[in-house]
Amino acid sequence: MEAQNYSDHPQLKPIQILSGTAKEGSIGPQIGLTDIGESEDAYLFRVALPGLKKNECQVKCNIQRDGKVQIKGLITTTGGVLENSSSIFQMRLNQLCPPGPFTITFYLPGPVDPRLCSPKFRGDGILEVVVFKPRTPNISQQV
């Protein structure tokens, strides 16, 4: 079933949709591997973004109320030639993800409050986000 057909069936949501470098990356560590956890009040998700560095990456994470998560980024690493201060290296083996834009889209198991999230980009290339479920107002009846 194509991704666009999911909109016709609200009960059927794709587990994950990859595009750009994330989809084409047949070599190297796979971008977009996702773990999802759930507690009573929140969801935790972790997304593998190997090869991206915290201070050098261009990653944006958009979370919607229905639980849709979209992560967009750009891998800027050049694959063919590596230069440092004293040498130029011509790469003979390229197993890291190729440079270019990527998009990762998936759904959390339920609705969330996107204002209440705590993202953390770990040093090991994992984007870790805790996002809270919507709070239901406490309606107490006075006697």
Side-chain angles (χ1 to χ4, degrees):
M1 184 179 261
E2 293 295 319
Q4 56 267 30
N5 292 342
Y6 284 99
S7 61
D8 298 336
H9 304 282
Q11 298 296 335
L12 301 175
K13 295 181 181 178
I15 294 174
Q16 188 174 57
I17 300 170
L18 304 176
S19 69
T21 300
K23 181 178 181 180
E24 298 166 11
S26 60
I27 57 173
Q30 185 176 357
I31 285 185
L33 295 177
T34 305
D35 289 337
I36 299 174
E38 180 177 8
S39 73
E40 185 176 317
D41 299 327
Y43 295 107
L44 161 75
F45 63 88
R46 296 180 182 140
V47 180
L49 302 171
L52 296 180
K53 294 181 182 175
K54 184 177 183 177
N55 298 330
E56 299 174 7
C57 66
Q58 300 174 22
V59 175
K60 293 181 182 177
C61 181
N62 181 23
I63 303 171
Q64 297 177 5
R65 289 191 171 279
D66 65 353
K68 180 180 180 180
V69 177
Q70 188 171 62
I71 300 167
K72 291 184 176 188
L74 178 64
I75 297 174
T76 57
T77 308
T78 57
V81 177
L82 177 64
E83 295 184 40
N84 70 13
S85 60
S86 61
S87 301
I88 298 175
F89 295 91
Q90 181 67 37
M91 301 307 289
R92 300 280 184 214
L93 179 63
N94 288 312
Q95 292 188 340
L96 296 177
C97 191
F102 67 87
T103 303
I104 301 163
T105 304
F106 60 92
Y107 283 85
L108 297 170
V112 295
D113 185 343
R115 300 170 299 163
L116 302 175
C117 71
S118 171
K120 177 182 176 184
F121 190 69
R122 301 182 348 194
D124 59 357
I126 303 291
L127 174 64
E128 185 174 82
V129 179
V130 174
V131 61
F132 285 86
K133 296 175 181 178
R135 296 184 183 175
T136 54
N138 266 343
I139 301 174
S140 58
Q141 296 180 345
Q142 296 180 349
V143 180

